[in-house]
Amino acid sequence: VVSCLASPSGTKKSAFAIDYQASLNCLEAGQSFDARHFVLLSAFCCRRPLLQLQQAKLQFEAELAQQDKMTWSVVRPTAFFKSISGQLEAIKTGAPYVLFDDGAVTQCNPIAECELAEFMLDSLVNDEKKNKIMNVG
């Protein structure tokens, strides 16, 4: 199972409905079909959970790690080049940018989507990436 589910808004209701419950539903569906491995696309920012979205992701990560019916990998990319360039264009037009504290929390090394996809697919077959939370980017 490869899950890339993510709340479109990040609100508490949406985050727990998608990032937690829908992800849990996918896990349970995979278990019912005897899937052997679950790969979760999470978020690097979960290291310091300040937002509802991050808390929902962490809650599901804990559920995933506690179950023993299949192996798992949690992949936490820093950011995508595409999303960073989109933010830059928005800032140029005067849109606000969210900055936490001194900016160290939002500092990142973006990753290309194709590199992230390759990393996630490798975690399906690479035993060294099983039952681990991995930051990438």
Side-chain angles (χ1 to χ4, degrees):
V1 177
V2 177
S3 175
C4 299
L5 296 173
S7 164
S9 67
T11 63
K12 182 176 183 176
K13 183 177 180 180
S14 175
F16 279 92
I18 305 297
D19 294 284
Y20 174 73
Q21 189 60 57
S23 296
L24 183 60
N25 294 348
C26 287
L27 173 63
E28 291 170 350
Q31 290 171 334
S32 72
F33 285 97
D34 295 324
R36 294 179 302 195
H37 192 72
F38 192 103
V39 179
L40 174 68
L41 177 62
S42 188
F44 185 74
C45 58
C46 286
R47 306 175 298 134
R48 297 181 183 137
L50 301 172
L51 306 173
Q52 296 292 332
L53 169 73
Q54 297 158 339
Q55 293 168 10
K57 286 185 178 296
L58 283 177
Q59 188 175 344
F60 177 70
E61 287 180 15
E63 295 264 355
L64 182 61
Q66 289 173 4
Q67 60 81 41
D68 62 359
K69 293 184 179 177
M70 68 174 81
T71 57
W72 53 272
S73 300
V74 173
V75 179
R76 292 180 175 172
T78 52
F80 304 117
F81 281 110
K82 185 177 180 180
S83 94
I84 298 294
S85 63
Q87 290 176 11
L88 181 59
E89 291 305 314
I91 291 167
K92 285 181 180 178
T93 65
Y97 179 76
V98 177
L99 182 69
F100 294 101
D101 295 327
D102 64 357
V105 173
T106 54
Q107 181 180 357
C108 68
N109 180 22
I111 186 171
E113 291 170 345
C114 61
E115 291 174 344
L116 176 60
E118 185 178 314
F119 188 91
M120 291 179 68
L121 289 175
D122 186 54
S123 69
L124 286 168
V125 295
N126 185 336
D127 288 339
E128 293 179 9
K129 293 182 179 178
K130 291 184 177 170
N131 299 329
K132 289 186 179 174
I133 296 174
M134 299 164 286
N135 297 323
V136 61

